[in-house]
Amino acid sequence: MVVARRLGVDEPLDTRPRYPLKFDRTENMAGEMREFEIRRGSAAVGQRIMDLKLPADALILLIRRGQRFLVPKGQTQIESGDTLLVLAEGDLL
């Protein structure tokens, strides 16, 4: 829940948006993938990814913004309504 708190969201999304990539979890992989919707008023709105202070082991893989998908970079600014696809160990999510 560290990532959820840093993004200012309550919890990961219950519904799963469809992404243009596939993630198959293997037994050797400790990480999990979760989606977080950034709502209006979230502490993350207007911040760059590099300024979110996410744990070092958490990685934002993709951002869904409306009907588009963005590959995030450190300078990418988070907007209200974005859905972030995050890879991290379960205890961080």
Side-chain angles (χ1 to χ4, degrees):
M1 291 301 221
V2 174
V3 172
R5 281 194 308 270
R6 294 284 167 97
L7 294 174
V9 297
D10 296 329
E11 56 191 53
L13 288 175
D14 290 330
T15 59
R16 304 275 180 197
R18 188 164 180 192
Y19 288 95
L21 57 89
K22 184 176 178 184
F23 177 74
D24 289 326
R25 192 167 191 269
T26 65
E27 65 242 13
N28 296 333
M29 179 142 191
E32 294 182 38
M33 202 164 57
R34 300 266 174 86
E35 298 92 7
F36 295 92
E37 182 180 358
I38 307 301
R39 297 186 179 122
R40 188 178 339 178
S42 167
V45 173
Q47 291 196 46
R48 298 177 302 175
I49 289 175
M50 62 191 287
D51 297 329
L52 292 175
K53 297 184 173 83
L54 295 178
D57 294 333
L59 178 64
I60 299 174
L61 298 173
L62 202 60
I63 298 174
R64 182 171 54 93
R65 183 171 289 162
Q67 300 300 315
R68 299 180 314 148
F69 293 95
L70 308 172
V71 176
K73 299 174 182 61
Q75 295 291 331
T76 302
Q77 191 168 1
I78 303 299
E79 295 182 7
S80 178
D82 284 352
T83 298
L84 310 183
L85 183 63
V86 178
L87 177 66
E89 291 192 25
D91 59 336
L92 293 178
L93 297 170

